[in-house]
Amino acid sequence: MIVKVAILLFCSHGSTAREACDGPLVSNLPQSSFRSSSQWSNSHGPGFAKVNRRDGAGGWSPFESNKYQWLEVDLGGRTEVTAVGTQGRYGSSDWVSAYQLVFSDTRRNWKQYRQEDSIGAFSGNSNADSVVQYKLQQPVIARYLRLNPLDWNPNGRIGLRLEAYGCPYNSDVASFDGTGSLHYRLGPYQSQSTTKEVVSLKFKTLKNSGTLIHAEGQGGCSLTLELQKGKLLLHLSYRGKSVSSHYHKMVSLGSLLDDQHWHHVGLERVGTHINLTVDKSTEQVQSLSDCSHWEMDQISLGGVQGQGPPRASSDPSTSRRNFHGCLENLQHNHLSLIDMAKRSDSQVSSTGNVTFTCAEVVSVAVTFAGAKSFLQLPGAMTAAAGGGGGLGAAVAELQFRTWNKAGLLVTFELPQQGGNLWVYLSEARVKLQVHKAGRVLLDLSAGSALNDGQWHSVDLTSRRGRLSLSVDRDDGSTAHASPSFPVAARSHFFFGGCPDGETGPECRNPFHVFQGCMRQLALEGSAVDLIRVQQMLTGNFSELQIDMCGIIDRCSPSHCEHEGRCTQSWSAFHCNCSHTGYSGATCHSSVYEQSCEAYKHHGTTRGLYHVDADGSGPIKPQLIYCNMTDKTWMVIQHNNTELTKLRPSSGSNQHLARFNYSADADQLQAIISQAEHCEQELSYHCRASRLLNTPDGTPFTWWLSGSGEAQTYWGGAVPGSQQCACGLQEDCIDSDHYCNCDADRHEWANDSGLLSHKEHLPVTAIVIGDVQRPGSEAAYRVGPLRCHGDKNYWNAAFFNQETSYLHFPTFHGELSADISFLFKTTASSGVFLENLGIKDFIRIELSSSTEVVFSFDVGNGPFEVNVETSAPLNDGRWHRVRAERNVKEASLRVDSLPAATQKAPAEGHIHLQLNSQLFVGGTASRQKGFLGCIRSLQLNGRTLDLKERAKITPGVSPGCRGHCSSYGHLCRNQGQCTEKSNGFSCDCAPSAHSGPFCQREVSAHFKPGTSVAYTFKEPYEMSRNSSTLPSSIYSDLTLRGEKISLSFRTSQAPALLLYVSSYHREYLAVLINRNGYLNVKYKLESGREAEVLRSNVRNLANGHLHRVSIRRLSDTVSVQVDQHAREGFNLTSDIEFNAIKSVVMGKIQESGELDPEIARLNSLGFSGCLSVVLFNSIAPLKAALLYPSTSPVIVTGPLAESNCGSATPANPYAAEATHPLSDHSGTVGTGEPIVNAIKSDSALIGGVIAVVIFVILAVLAIMARFLYRRKETFRNQEPKGGKHEDSPEFPFNNEANSQNVLSDSQKEYFI
């Protein structure tokens, strides 16, 4: 939209093609061009302060050496100054070692030059002879220069010689008084559209609001640049023919622009992008789409043209207040608009008062910058200024601006020992209090939110016994009182604070000191001449900057990143990072991990997690479902993952469906690029509906990739093939086609498969074309995007030589830098990384076995942050390091220890400027190199590819093994950590648990007829080394001890929990007796009665979950129930358990004689829950539920896996919605995919909805009745040989059927 709006602007600081601007400016000036605050003698006058000159006493020296002295140079006209140089007084011990540089066009309203926002001082000389020169980062354009000495040789005095370097500055200026404006009507050649347009100008003003430029085009597009409250606003507007087609966009930049100093504005349009620049800050804006090619034909400067009827494109959102101030060098594409006006060009007209010289308005301000700042002024008590009945007068008036919420504005002692009056800021409101002898005699308040950096006026008046406190001369912000005592100053007024050490009644300040600026002070009706105060002719002051306002907006531009909210005081800013997903002093570092893989290594399980794919980069965090199974899957849903059915209908010949994902495009691409593998299911069910029209025809159906490109291959095929999976496998139902659906048969068929070419994912839209013929029907499904693996997380290199290193391009982290990585080593020291500049550097190193040091220099000297650990870091385990440096602080964190933090200096350099290569694992000097592994090295959210660089670097190897030493503790419940090339996995074979960390309880509900028997074979062969089976299927011939553990939940007593039989009629039984106690029954000798060991823990048949642990070693048995103390027993029979036959849970089905008590219990069966059953190294229940086809188990009766053994509530994300694929090779049958029918006819829709609701209610009623009658009903099923979704050991086998039965919650369209 700004295509033409940008037309208006082009900026110039002078000539575009010119010679170097570095000539001497001071050496040829007459002595009359020099002024100073004072001089030691005539021979020490300011006229002798020329570099390398020995005239007079060899330079300037003031009468006294203090911080209130200054040396001023009049350059004769506005001049561009690019450098300054200083020298001490010749032949003396007098020199200035630090100074401020200020400049002005009028000898009033000085402005301080800052090298950086936080640096206001220059380093000076260290002797009297050398010239110290500084090249200014941004040129100064001014007529007058002043140097204010801040420090000098302690063994001498202030002594100074000066030179400035630059060149003359020429400009065209227009002055506007708030009523005038200039209007341009551009010719066709001037307004015609181009690919690039530039506008630039300078302005200065004391008014905080007003329109600088307004431009309009015939197409309804307009652009406005205006000041509002000292900020520059760019308005882009389009007003179409209808209200719904009106658009407006606004961007704000800059702050405190009403300081009567020149500010540069640039507006550049390149294509559809617009760059707005104010001074040193630039903001990029996207132009409005309707205004990308409009031609601007009318431009107004200083206001909006008011003659004639308003244009349709006029923007009502702008203030329409005319500009009051000066514009300079306003150019549009090298066309000087002010010069056209000066020449009275026919295209230019004017209204009101516009002149072509800049009329300067003199306003002297004073800056209260420090804790000891104050201004003391005399006051003459007016007899009529009290409650005595006189006419009265103004007591005090002032204007102020500040960022602080609190501070003293003015105080004075009342006459006749009437107490003290304070006018002060509190919570950004102006308050007035009168105290006498500890009592509050008067309390008033006015105004609000006065710490916004804007100028605010305060008027304190007393007339006819009525006291008024007014803020901004607003009746709504005025407070009144009628005190019984006179209100006037007994002797002096004190502004901002009190003199240091003041203890008398005349000035007491129980409040904060004021930090900010004041101007237009008036006492008892008379204006205060602050220049006389500066010359010490009246009043007294300390630590003031007179004739300048030194306020700085530390939030413009804001250093708060990622939409952190910036607030500030006079001396500092603060970033509120709430609800951003980022932390730190500038909201730089993400609080979230970058992938599900990283979350997995915190020991977390499946669920929804915030994932920040680029860490501290610009991409926002996104809530992602992480499914931690054998692989760590990231699942990103979209708006329609269900099967959607289509039928013929009148109208369009094509059906278009777009898919909106839960993550935006940048997030999706970041996730896909760093994943090791991504896939997305694409399926098409058809009856007389062709798909790709293979082999030679134009496809009827295609889909759009993540980049918006049309793709004509289907799930399971390769890109560009225009085939389906069956075509690739050569098993399509019609060998003449490459897709099943292209056979165009009247029986239902399908083509389904996975898309896994990452460059084409995700599917953003699908177009289906062949469903308009009579009899054609189709259904499609696009599954969620699923990705696993994290290439960045396991990107590692091994440094095996101390002199080896990897090098990368220079790290750019000028204002914010965060570095994170993992390392493991056995060495006691070494440099992890280093990057050097001319003077600046950044380095992280292991300085000792227990200390990591983060050091850097941004020009203020070396700076260190260190973390010491109690345990050595060279233990061969992975340790994480996170370092961050920003403009406010530097921090370092190691593992989970508290972060060490060092604040940045309040005044100093803030830009980190590096220029060498980044060295990883060593230094440029090849000394102090690191020995060990570095992994997942990220700088400002970007991962360095250590692995690839290591492949071509001697002394460095790609990858790094040995993860179990660091992550093995995540494998729980006797799970064993197994090394992988990228990471590790938990082998749950020795455990009764399953899941990625062997933490999930394997549980099942038992019915009275349920039986699970794990059998042992003869002969007893040993096979202990296999980790591919869940447990050993063989046993020792003789056992001299057992370890048994299980959990149960039941309300049945008595009940048999576990029975272990032998071929020698020996047995072991774990049961609950009729009284609810746990009994362990051993029969290890056929000729003796069984021995019963009874636990003292009662009431175990209470329906709660209980855990039992039984250990026997020889004749010693111990039993522990839940958290109760372990109980000990001794057997008196044989200690050998011979020839184990089986381990049985539930009903015993084997033939043979049973112990009578066991037989009685067996006749009852077991009703309840059994979980995590482990007998020695055998997990019989886990084998039966998860691996029935590969384990020696026999299951009789109903058995279903359940979470009944979990002691905590079920994870709400534990059941991932899986959508098994249809047969990839294609099937043909009469079965139709079952979906809900949604038709366009409303009556049909209503009927379908009614039927669906009826069916649902009927089903719910039947289920409720069924569940009520039988609370623990289970589906009788034979365990499948497929893999449980949490188990990494065996693949899941899901048989597709030809009926393609799908969810009842799916959709149907008619096209």
Side-chain angles (χ1 to χ4, degrees):
M1 98 97 165
I2 279 219
V3 151
K4 263 316 121 185
V5 169
I7 274 189
L8 254 198
L9 305 114
F10 175 92
C11 159
S12 108
H13 287 226
S15 177
T16 55
R18 63 183 181 185
E19 298 178 357
C21 185
D22 57 5
L25 302 173
V26 175
S27 57
N28 295 323
L29 293 175
Q31 286 200 359
S32 59
S33 296
F34 295 82
R35 296 174 66 220
S36 64
S37 53
S38 64
Q39 61 189 45
W40 179 250
S41 68
N42 289 335
S43 61
H44 293 79
F48 301 114
K50 298 181 180 180
V51 164
N52 294 327
R53 301 283 285 271
R54 305 180 184 181
D55 302 340
W60 166 71
S61 284
F63 185 75
E64 290 185 75
S65 292
N66 58 39
K67 294 181 180 180
Y68 304 112
Q69 306 300 328
W70 46 264
L71 173 68
E72 178 187 304
V73 179
D74 180 0
L75 298 176
R78 294 189 68 211
T79 305
E80 183 172 350
V81 180
T82 59
V84 293
T86 58
Q87 191 177 28
R89 190 169 63 83
Y90 175 74
S92 73
S93 298
D94 303 340
W95 60 81
V96 172
S97 55
Y99 62 91
Q100 285 181 340
L101 175 66
V102 298
F103 57 93
S104 171
D105 285 343
T106 62
R107 276 202 176 121
R108 292 290 179 268
N109 189 32
W110 296 87
K111 184 172 184 178
Q112 182 180 356
Y113 181 86
R114 291 181 172 271
Q115 301 178 67
E116 295 181 17
D117 290 342
S118 59
I119 301 179
F122 290 82
S123 297
N125 301 89
S126 57
N127 56 58
D129 300 322
S130 301
V131 177
V132 176
Q133 186 182 101
Y134 278 98
K135 183 174 177 63
L136 304 182
Q137 295 179 1
Q138 298 288 331
V140 166
I141 298 174
R143 175 174 177 175
Y144 300 96
L145 296 181
R146 264 191 190 180
L147 265 70
N148 300 328
L150 298 177
D151 203 359
W152 48 91
N153 180 18
N155 298 318
R157 303 173 51 83
I158 292 176
L160 186 63
R161 287 178 282 176
L162 169 69
E163 183 60 273
Y165 306 89
C167 58
Y169 179 80
N170 298 315
S171 65
D172 293 318
V173 178
S175 181
F176 302 82
D177 65 354
T179 64
S181 58
L182 295 174
H183 311 285
Y184 297 76
R185 291 194 177 275
L186 301 180
Y189 74 96
Q190 294 168 326
S191 63
Q192 96 182 46
S193 177
T194 60
T195 58
K196 180 177 180 179
E197 298 177 77
V198 180
V199 179
S200 71
L201 73 148
K202 283 187 168 186
F203 74 90
K204 68 188 305 184
T205 182
L206 275 174
K207 302 295 184 180
N208 66 0
S209 297
T211 300
L212 299 177
I213 298 177
H214 179 75
E216 296 186 356
Q218 294 291 345
C221 300
S222 68
L223 171 149
T224 305
L225 278 174
E226 70 162 344
L227 281 176
Q228 278 193 14
K229 293 188 175 181
K231 297 178 181 289
L232 187 70
L233 273 60
L234 170 63
H235 297 275
L236 307 175
S237 299
Y238 171 74
R239 296 178 64 84
K241 296 180 179 180
S242 63
V243 176
S244 61
S245 62
H246 294 181
Y247 305 105
H248 176 254
K249 180 182 290 187
M250 185 195 76
V251 63
S252 172
L253 195 61
S255 178
L256 307 176
L257 301 177
D258 56 341
D259 59 357
Q260 193 63 4
H261 290 286
W262 289 107
H263 296 282
H264 165 248
V265 177
L267 193 63
E268 180 183 41
R269 178 190 62 83
V270 180
T272 60
H273 294 283
I274 300 168
N275 293 323
L276 173 65
T277 299
V278 177
D279 295 331
K280 296 184 289 184
S281 303
T282 299
E283 183 94 4
Q284 188 175 82
V285 190
Q286 183 73 30
S287 65
L288 297 177
S289 58
D290 292 292
C291 297
S292 58
H293 297 290
W294 70 291
E295 296 181 0
M296 187 166 52
D297 59 4
Q298 179 176 306
I299 300 172
S300 297
L301 305 183
V304 180
Q305 187 172 11
Q307 298 176 352
R311 295 280 294 269
S313 59
S314 296
D315 180 19
S317 64
T318 59
S319 68
R320 292 303 181 89
R321 182 181 298 178
N322 278 20
F323 175 68
H324 191 166
C326 300
L327 298 181
E328 178 184 70
N329 287 346
L330 174 55
Q331 296 196 359
H332 164 234
N333 288 349
H334 302 288
L335 178 67
S336 175
L337 300 186
I338 295 178
D339 181 63
M340 290 174 62
K342 289 170 64 176
R343 292 186 286 103
S344 300
D345 192 288
S346 61
Q347 295 176 270
V348 185
S349 62
S350 65
T351 59
N353 186 23
V354 179
T355 61
F356 298 103
T357 59
C358 187
E360 298 283 355
V361 179
V362 176
S363 178
V364 180
V366 57
T367 303
F368 296 78
K372 298 181 179 180
S373 299
F374 77 92
L375 171 62
Q376 177 182 345
L377 295 173
M381 186 180 70
T382 303
L391 294 176
V395 178
E397 300 173 9
L398 62 91
Q399 291 186 5
F400 73 90
R401 70 191 314 176
T402 184
W403 301 116
N404 290 0
K405 290 184 177 182
L408 177 67
L409 295 176
V410 61
T411 182
F412 52 87
E413 186 183 8
L414 296 175
Q416 303 172 10
Q417 297 181 348
N420 294 84
L421 181 146
W422 293 280
V423 179
Y424 61 99
L425 282 174
S426 176
E427 294 300 317
R429 305 189 69 195
V430 172
K431 291 196 172 186
L432 180 150
Q433 283 191 357
V434 175
H435 285 208
K436 180 179 180 181
R439 293 187 303 116
V440 177
L441 303 182
L442 190 62
D443 193 347
L444 300 176
S445 64
S448 62
L450 301 177
N451 63 328
D452 56 359
Q454 302 297 308
W455 284 108
H456 298 283
S457 65
V458 177
D459 296 281
L460 179 62
T461 59
S462 179
R463 287 183 175 88
R464 302 183 184 278
R466 182 176 175 85
L467 182 68
S468 297
L469 176 68
S470 177
V471 174
D472 293 334
R473 295 182 171 89
D474 183 358
D475 291 340
S477 297
T478 301
H480 303 281
S482 299
S484 60
F485 47 85
V487 177
R490 187 177 71 84
S491 57
H492 292 92
F493 290 85
F494 295 87
F495 294 85
C498 291
D500 188 27
E502 178 71 58
T503 57
E506 192 173 12
C507 185
R508 293 186 296 111
N509 180 20
F511 311 105
H512 292 87
V513 298
F514 175 76
Q515 290 180 298
C517 301
M518 293 187 191
R519 70 180 184 187
Q520 297 184 14
L521 275 64
L523 300 177
E524 299 172 342
S526 301
V528 175
D529 187 347
L530 291 173
I531 299 302
R532 286 178 55 82
V533 175
Q534 183 185 39
Q535 296 169 348
M536 301 184 181
L537 300 176
T538 184
N540 185 23
F541 66 90
S542 174
E543 295 191 8
L544 298 184
Q545 296 173 337
I546 298 179
D547 205 8
M548 65 183 298
C549 179
I551 190 171
I552 300 173
D553 191 340
R554 302 176 190 275
C555 290
S556 180
S558 174
H559 290 296
C560 302
E561 304 177 50
H562 301 112
E563 301 181 359
R565 193 170 68 89
C566 182
T567 57
Q568 61 185 313
S569 63
W570 178 261
S571 57
F573 72 92
H574 171 72
C575 296
N576 185 346
C577 306
S578 301
H579 311 297
T580 65
Y582 297 85
S583 65
T586 59
C587 310
H588 176 76
S589 297
S590 179
V591 300
Y592 304 117
E593 296 290 355
Q594 293 184 241
S595 66
C596 292
E597 185 78 15
Y599 278 114
K600 176 182 177 180
H601 289 79
H602 293 309
T604 56
T605 56
R606 67 177 66 185
L608 287 169
Y609 297 92
H610 281 97
V611 172
D612 195 339
D614 69 338
S616 60
I619 300 176
K620 295 181 179 179
Q622 177 62 41
L623 198 62
I624 299 291
Y625 181 70
C626 299
N627 188 18
M628 282 73 161
T629 57
D630 55 330
K631 294 181 175 67
T632 304
W633 289 95
M634 304 176 72
V635 183
I636 300 98
Q637 299 286 346
H638 57 77
N639 58 322
N640 182 20
T641 57
E642 300 167 348
L643 188 69
T644 303
K645 190 171 182 181
L646 307 171
R647 285 180 179 172
S649 69
S650 60
S652 173
N653 291 331
Q654 291 181 333
H655 174 77
L656 169 64
R658 298 189 181 275
F659 305 105
N660 300 316
Y661 289 81
S662 58
D664 63 30
D666 291 337
Q667 293 166 336
L668 287 170
Q669 289 307 312
I671 290 170
I672 291 171
S673 64
Q674 75 181 40
E676 294 178 353
H677 170 82
C678 290
E679 63 186 34
Q680 195 166 10
E681 178 196 352
L682 190 58
S683 63
Y684 191 71
H685 301 257
C686 57
R687 185 168 71 175
S689 177
R690 292 160 293 179
L691 182 60
L692 299 182
N693 198 24
T694 53
D696 301 319
T698 301
F700 290 104
T701 297
W702 63 90
W703 53 276
L704 299 183
S705 66
S707 60
E709 298 178 353
Q711 303 296 330
T712 58
Y713 68 99
W714 207 247
V718 296
S721 64
Q722 198 171 325
Q723 294 185 11
C724 300
C726 68
L728 191 67
Q729 299 166 6
E730 299 182 353
D731 60 355
C732 295
I733 59 176
D734 186 338
S735 60
D736 292 333
H737 296 278
Y738 298 123
C739 293
N740 291 315
C741 290
D742 288 341
D744 202 18
R745 299 189 179 184
H746 288 277
E747 298 86 8
W748 281 99
N750 76 79
D751 288 292
S752 302
L754 293 174
L755 302 171
S756 58
H757 191 64
K758 291 202 317 181
E759 287 73 10
H760 292 166
L761 296 177
V763 178
T764 57
I766 188 170
V767 179
I768 298 174
D770 190 23
V771 287
Q772 75 280 6
R773 296 180 296 160
S776 293
E777 294 184 80
Y780 67 89
R781 179 178 183 269
V782 177
L785 176 67
R786 303 173 74 243
C787 298
H788 72 74
D790 184 348
K791 295 187 296 184
N792 297 337
Y793 192 77
W794 296 109
N795 193 303
F798 174 60
F799 299 83
N800 52 41
Q801 296 179 13
E802 190 172 317
T803 57
S804 62
Y805 58 81
L806 299 177
H807 60 85
F808 294 89
T810 305
F811 173 45
H812 296 288
E814 285 78 6
L815 295 176
S816 293
D818 76 279
I819 303 170
S820 66
F821 58 91
L822 294 101
F823 77 91
K824 67 174 184 174
T825 184
T826 56
S828 60
S829 64
V831 175
F832 297 121
L833 62 86
E834 179 184 81
N835 206 161
L836 305 177
I838 297 175
K839 293 183 179 179
D840 296 0
F841 73 89
I842 190 168
R843 181 186 301 115
I844 304 178
E845 63 182 306
L846 182 69
S847 62
S848 71
S849 61
T850 57
E851 184 179 43
V852 176
V853 177
F854 172 38
S855 58
F856 58 88
D857 188 352
V858 295
N860 305 316
F863 198 81
E864 281 191 359
V865 187
N866 68 306
V867 171
E868 292 192 22
T869 63
S870 57
L873 298 170
N874 59 341
D875 55 358
R877 299 166 64 105
W878 286 112
H879 297 280
R880 187 174 185 182
V881 175
R882 286 164 289 182
E884 180 183 348
R885 178 261 156 191
N886 53 58
V887 298
K888 286 184 68 72
E889 65 182 25
S891 63
L892 177 66
R893 182 186 294 272
V894 177
D895 293 333
S896 57
L897 296 173
T901 303
Q902 296 280 357
K903 297 294 182 183
E907 292 280 336
H909 297 277
I910 59 175
H911 290 86
L912 176 65
Q913 298 176 336
L914 307 173
N915 55 21
S916 75
Q917 291 181 318
L918 170 68
F919 293 89
V920 177
T923 65
S925 62
R926 295 180 178 268
Q927 296 179 353
K928 300 177 65 176
F930 174 73
L931 293 173
C933 290
I934 297 178
R935 193 184 100 217
S936 189
L937 174 58
Q938 296 184 331
L939 285 75
N940 279 351
R942 300 187 63 180
T943 302
L944 299 186
D945 197 343
L946 304 177
K947 196 171 183 178
E948 284 300 315
R949 189 62 59 93
K951 292 178 181 178
I952 58 173
T953 304
V956 187
S957 304
C960 200
R961 298 184 65 85
H963 305 299
C964 283
S965 60
S966 299
Y967 301 113
H969 67 281
L970 296 176
C971 299
R972 304 167 190 168
N973 301 306
Q974 303 177 19
Q976 299 296 315
C977 183
T978 303
E979 294 285 352
K980 296 171 63 178
S981 57
N982 280 348
F984 74 100
S985 64
C986 293
D987 181 3
C988 301
S991 172
H993 292 69
S994 68
F997 304 113
C998 310
Q999 87 289 1
R1000 188 178 64 82
E1001 297 88 353
V1002 179
S1003 313
H1005 268 296
F1006 281 70
K1007 301 299 292 179
T1010 303
S1011 172
V1012 176
Y1014 187 102
T1015 60
F1016 297 89
K1017 298 179 180 179
E1018 292 184 294
Y1020 304 101
E1021 303 171 0
M1022 300 298 296
S1023 177
R1024 296 183 179 271
N1025 297 324
S1026 173
S1027 63
T1028 60
L1029 294 178
S1031 58
S1032 175
I1033 63 173
Y1034 301 104
S1035 174
D1036 288 313
L1037 180 62
T1038 300
L1039 294 180
R1040 294 178 177 270
E1042 302 86 38
K1043 289 184 179 181
I1044 303 170
S1045 62
L1046 59 90
S1047 295
F1048 69 91
R1049 187 196 305 265
T1050 187
S1051 299
Q1052 176 184 339
L1056 180 64
L1057 301 177
L1058 184 73
Y1059 182 77
V1060 184
S1061 65
S1062 84
Y1063 286 98
H1064 294 177
R1065 301 179 66 182
E1066 299 172 354
Y1067 70 86
L1068 161 64
V1070 181
L1071 56 94
I1072 299 175
N1073 65 22
R1074 67 181 63 198
N1075 297 316
Y1077 290 88
L1078 181 75
N1079 287 358
V1080 181
K1081 198 168 185 178
Y1082 272 99
K1083 183 176 175 63
L1084 302 183
E1085 193 172 336
S1086 58
R1088 296 185 57 178
E1089 290 294 325
E1091 297 186 64
V1092 180
L1093 314 178
R1094 195 186 82 166
S1095 169
N1096 291 321
V1097 180
R1098 65 179 64 188
N1099 195 23
L1100 298 180
N1102 58 1
H1104 296 163
L1105 185 68
H1106 300 284
R1107 178 164 179 81
V1108 176
S1109 172
I1110 303 169
R1111 298 178 186 173
R1112 181 179 75 90
L1113 181 60
S1114 187
D1115 61 346
T1116 302
V1117 181
S1118 66
V1119 178
Q1120 183 177 21
V1121 178
D1122 297 331
Q1123 301 300 318
H1124 297 281
R1126 186 170 287 276
E1127 302 171 80
F1129 305 90
N1130 290 101
L1131 297 179
T1132 60
S1133 60
D1134 191 6
I1135 61 174
E1136 294 183 345
F1137 195 179
N1138 299 295
I1140 304 300
K1141 180 180 181 181
S1142 63
V1143 178
V1144 181
M1145 294 154 288
K1147 199 171 186 67
I1148 305 170
Q1149 301 288 352
E1150 63 184 52
S1151 60
E1153 185 178 347
L1154 293 176
D1155 179 284
E1157 182 183 4
I1158 301 300
R1160 286 195 302 272
L1161 293 177
N1162 190 50
S1163 65
L1164 301 175
F1166 174 69
S1167 294
C1169 172
L1170 288 178
S1171 177
V1172 290
V1173 180
L1174 192 65
F1175 178 79
N1176 289 346
S1177 61
I1178 299 167
L1181 183 60
K1182 176 181 173 182
L1185 289 171
L1186 305 186
Y1187 321 110
S1189 62
T1190 57
S1191 302
V1193 291
I1194 301 173
V1195 178
T1196 306
L1199 181 71
E1201 187 176 2
S1202 168
N1203 63 354
C1204 64
S1206 175
T1208 57
N1211 188 329
Y1213 312 108
E1216 180 193 0
T1218 58
H1219 301 272
L1221 297 178
S1222 302
D1223 190 339
H1224 291 195
S1225 62
T1227 58
V1228 179
T1230 59
E1232 173 187 351
I1234 299 177
V1235 295
N1236 279 342
I1238 304 176
K1239 301 189 177 182
S1240 59
D1241 182 77
S1242 59
L1244 183 56
I1245 292 176
V1248 170
I1249 292 175
V1251 171
V1252 170
I1253 292 175
F1254 176 81
V1255 170
I1256 291 174
L1257 291 175
V1259 169
L1260 289 175
I1262 294 172
M1263 290 177 62
R1265 179 176 177 83
F1266 188 64
L1267 291 173
Y1268 179 79
R1269 295 180 60 185
R1270 299 187 63 189
K1271 290 198 298 190
E1272 296 178 342
T1273 300
F1274 299 94
R1275 179 168 50 91
N1276 191 353
Q1277 64 175 21
E1278 282 299 322
K1280 300 288 189 293
K1283 171 190 171 186
H1284 189 274
E1285 64 178 347
D1286 266 345
S1287 173
E1289 292 92 343
F1290 291 88
F1292 183 74
N1293 180 22
N1294 182 31
E1295 295 292 346
N1297 60 68
S1298 61
Q1299 301 300 316
N1300 300 306
V1301 179
L1302 294 146
S1303 170
D1304 285 340
S1305 61
Q1306 299 164 345
K1307 304 179 181 179
E1308 177 172 335
Y1309 291 93
F1310 292 83
I1311 64 173

